[in-house]
Amino acid sequence: MPAQGRRDALKDLLRAVASSRPWSLLASSHLARRIRHSLSARIALAITVAALVILLVFGVIIASQLRTSMFETRKDAILADASLRFSSAQSVFSSSTASSPAQVQESARGALASLKASAAGAGATNVALLRSEGATASLRINQIEDEQMRALITPQMRTAVSSGGAQWQSVGIRSSDSDKVVPGILVGTQVQLPRAGTHELYILYSLSADQAQVDVVLRVLVLSALPIIVALPIGVFALLHRLLLPVRVTAQAATKASKGNLDVRVDVHGDDEMADLGHAFNAMTSSLQDTISRYDELAKLQQRFVSDVSHELRTPLTTIRMAEDIVWDNRDELPAHARRSVELLHDQTERMEQMLADLLEISRYDAASALLDAEDRDLRPIVQRVVEGCAELAQRQNVRVETVAQGRVAAEIDERRIERVIRNLVVNAIEHADGTPVTITLAETETDVACRVRDRGVGMTQEVADHVFDRFYRADTARARTTGGTGLGLAIATEDVAIHGGRLQAYGEPGRGASFLMTLPKRAGEEIVSRPLALWEDE
């Protein structure tokens, strides 16, 4: 539990530091951002911090060992000197012939003054003579002590001295003219005064000179570490910055390549790992360039093939169409069993014409040769024409087509293309409505217009909605189609809307119908700012 408590306290401290305002300001500063975006700076900072920690631990160990070694050496010397001083003082007290209290007092003062003077060379700064507790001698003299010694001699020290032998204690000596505290050693023992009985003699030794030596050594260590602390991050950063130069160059080249400039290459020097990176990048861009060039060529060949085939098929199809028209016009004169074949020929000829038209339109978009003839037009008459044109199909499918318009809905559009988009959406909705109504809703904002075609038929899944605009995509290949189709209608509709700067979206749920939303900017080519209708908005 104590260890867990310390870990929790450390976590709380780290959280408090991370949430503090100074740390937030530091983390959001320009220097912090530069460090976060520079690998060289982060590694240099990490190495510097690690070096500082190592130097700090090394300095603490050295200081501790130095203090311990000097203290032990100095303590042994002080105890030896104190033993000599105590013996000398006891000899003086024993040889004294003083008989009266005044004489004994004066003899004791003289002995302590001589002791203090003789021990000054060993670092002694003060002495004291105290009456032992429980002394029974009839002759009493005044204790010899000052304020400093009275504060340093503790009851524990006196108890240890009364047990016999020389005793010592480490103390802190406060200077009289400042608040600075220096280490010292207090040594005490019992002495016998003539006629005055047992007393306690104390000598105070100062370790200020030894502490000064330790401070000098530590100062030298700190001053010696300063160049390392300053030069280390600069040197590491410069070295890493130089070593990572190929990485930066490769990153810049990769940025250019991502923008389509595959001609970019990296200058490679040497044969180390960085050189391997440069070679790999150059090989990658060369391979990409070759692959894209091949794909571009294949795409151009495919576009040319579709365009050429579409044009080449028009001539025989025209001939077939002319012949089919003659047969179709005279179908009533044919036998009953041949009329069905004529109807199939008529339907498939129309479908072939529509497919060729769609292929030609797609090839124009692929070749970027489609032109936009945009004029300010109201979408309501266009929708009305589409509804009237699809009336026969809707009647055949038992589907009711409704139009909801909110006033005039006008935008700069290519009327032919937008009418083709709406017709395609309405025909698809009628085909999949399964007898439910189809609703066409028009709406606008200050910047955009929208047309939504919605049915409540079989619906579609999200996967189908994601691919419904792909070329030749079939959501259900087994579904019987009553109107035929080339599989290119929605793909062409997407291109028709995109050339206006608009967007065509699809949404549906199985069993709940589907919704197609066409959003166009009021000014052709501008970006869509808002969406006038929600794609799945319930009516």
Side-chain angles (χ1 to χ4, degrees):
M1 289 300 294
Q4 181 65 33
R6 286 195 295 270
R7 286 195 294 269
D8 294 340
L10 180 59
K11 292 180 180 178
D12 294 338
L13 177 62
L14 293 177
R15 281 195 293 267
V17 171
S19 60
S20 63
R21 181 174 177 80
W23 181 264
S24 301
L25 293 176
L26 179 62
S28 61
S29 63
H30 178 70
L31 178 60
R33 288 195 296 271
R34 291 293 299 272
I35 292 176
R36 284 198 299 269
H37 290 84
S38 174
L39 178 62
S40 303
R42 292 203 304 273
I43 295 178
L45 181 61
I47 293 177
T48 302
V49 171
L52 286 175
V53 172
I54 293 173
L55 289 175
L56 180 62
V57 173
F58 181 69
V60 170
I61 293 175
I62 289 180
S64 176
Q65 293 294 330
L66 183 62
R67 286 194 179 96
T68 301
S69 176
M70 294 192 68
F71 180 82
E72 291 296 331
T73 302
R74 186 74 174 108
K75 182 196 71 174
D76 293 341
I78 287 173
L79 293 179
D81 182 80
S83 177
L84 181 62
R85 306 303 173 187
F86 290 151
S87 299
S88 176
Q90 183 62 60
S91 298
V92 172
F93 292 147
S94 299
S95 61
S96 175
T97 58
S99 57
S100 64
Q103 291 176 343
V104 174
Q105 184 77 48
E106 186 63 26
S107 174
R109 288 184 181 279
L112 262 64
S114 176
L115 175 63
K116 181 178 180 180
S118 62
T125 60
N126 208 342
V127 294
L129 184 65
L130 304 181
R131 186 182 308 108
S132 295
E133 296 179 357
T136 58
S138 58
L139 191 150
R140 299 172 64 89
I141 62 173
N142 295 328
Q143 299 184 134
I144 302 174
E145 62 176 339
D146 57 14
E147 189 67 27
Q148 183 187 53
M149 296 297 286
R150 189 177 299 112
L152 295 178
I153 301 174
T154 63
Q156 293 81 4
M157 180 66 176
R158 297 197 64 180
T159 301
V161 170
S162 64
S163 63
Q167 305 292 331
W168 69 275
Q169 180 181 357
S170 180
V171 296
I173 305 173
R174 186 178 299 276
S175 177
S176 59
D177 55 352
S178 66
D179 292 334
K180 183 179 180 180
V181 177
V182 297
I185 293 179
L186 179 66
V187 185
T189 190
Q190 287 185 339
V191 294
Q192 297 293 327
L193 270 66
R195 303 178 61 82
T198 304
H199 280 68
E200 299 169 3
L201 179 59
Y202 296 93
I203 305 176
L204 178 63
Y205 291 88
S206 175
L207 301 180
S208 58
D210 304 274
Q211 181 62 44
Q213 292 181 10
V214 174
D215 293 342
V216 169
V217 173
L218 294 179
R219 194 177 300 114
V220 170
L221 290 176
V222 171
L223 293 177
S224 301
L226 283 178
I228 300 176
I229 296 173
V230 174
L232 182 63
I234 297 176
V236 171
F237 178 80
L239 178 61
L240 291 174
H241 193 270
R242 177 66 184 86
L243 291 176
L244 293 176
L245 178 60
V247 176
R248 293 194 302 274
V249 173
T250 305
Q252 294 172 359
T255 302
K256 295 179 181 178
S258 66
K259 296 179 180 179
N261 182 15
L262 295 179
D263 293 327
V264 65
R265 295 294 184 271
V266 175
D267 293 333
V268 180
H269 304 284
D271 54 358
D272 55 4
E273 291 84 351
M274 295 301 180
D276 294 340
L277 175 63
H279 287 303
F281 177 81
N282 291 338
M284 179 191 69
T285 52
S286 298
S287 177
L288 285 175
Q289 192 173 33
D290 294 341
T291 303
I292 292 175
S293 298
R294 289 197 300 270
Y295 283 158
D296 287 342
E297 186 64 27
L298 289 174
K300 291 177 182 178
L301 290 174
Q302 181 183 11
Q303 295 169 10
R304 190 179 305 115
F305 173 78
V306 172
S307 179
D308 293 345
V309 168
S310 301
H311 281 91
E312 292 297 328
L313 287 177
R314 272 194 171 277
T315 300
L317 182 60
T318 302
T319 304
I320 295 173
R321 182 64 174 177
M322 291 173 61
E324 183 271 332
D325 285 341
I326 295 174
V327 176
W328 177 257
D329 292 339
N330 297 281
R331 64 184 180 280
D332 294 335
E333 301 176 3
L334 297 175
H337 65 275
R339 292 177 185 175
R340 179 56 182 166
S341 299
V342 172
E343 292 176 357
L344 290 174
L345 176 63
H346 178 73
D347 292 341
Q348 294 304 315
T349 302
E350 287 186 345
R351 185 176 181 185
M352 179 65 73
E353 284 186 332
Q354 183 61 42
M355 182 179 296
L356 286 177
D358 290 347
L359 287 173
L360 284 172
E361 191 66 21
I362 282 290
S363 66
R364 292 190 188 99
Y365 278 116
D366 290 340
S369 60
L371 300 177
L372 182 68
D373 184 15
E375 295 182 3
D376 189 72
R377 289 287 186 271
D378 188 357
L379 267 65
R380 292 179 301 170
I382 300 175
V383 171
Q384 190 61 34
R385 288 199 302 271
V386 171
V387 172
E388 292 174 356
C390 297
E392 182 180 352
L393 175 62
Q395 185 177 5
R396 189 165 68 244
Q397 295 290 328
N398 193 24
V399 174
R400 185 177 75 256
V401 180
E402 304 171 348
T403 303
V404 180
Q406 303 174 1
R408 188 174 186 270
V409 182
E412 292 181 359
I413 60 173
D414 187 328
E415 187 172 353
R416 178 181 64 86
R417 297 180 187 278
I418 296 304
E419 182 175 349
R420 179 168 59 192
V421 173
I422 297 175
R423 180 182 298 108
N424 196 297
L425 297 180
V426 172
V427 170
N428 283 343
I430 292 173
E431 186 179 45
H432 295 85
D434 280 357
T436 61
V438 172
T439 305
I440 306 173
T441 307
L442 297 174
E444 68 172 347
T445 63
E446 295 181 356
T447 58
D448 309 306
V449 297
C451 175
R452 184 185 64 192
V453 179
R454 178 171 185 171
D455 68 82
R456 292 174 174 79
V458 296
M460 57 183 172
T461 63
Q462 185 60 44
E463 181 182 2
V464 173
D466 293 337
H467 297 282
V468 73
F469 299 111
D470 296 347
R471 298 179 184 183
F472 302 106
Y473 180 75
R474 287 285 189 271
D476 186 0
T477 57
R479 179 178 174 82
R481 298 180 60 87
T482 59
T483 60
T486 63
L488 294 173
L490 291 178
I492 295 175
T494 303
E495 299 289 352
D496 286 337
V497 174
I499 200 173
H500 287 80
R503 182 170 58 237
L504 188 60
Q505 298 167 280
Y507 175 81
E509 292 183 13
R512 297 186 60 185
S515 178
F516 288 81
L517 176 64
M518 177 183 67
T519 309
L520 301 171
K522 286 191 172 182
R523 293 186 178 275
E526 293 185 355
E527 293 184 358
I528 297 174
V529 178
S530 59
R531 187 169 64 182
L533 287 172
L535 189 61
W536 51 87
E537 179 183 8
D538 290 330
E539 298 178 355

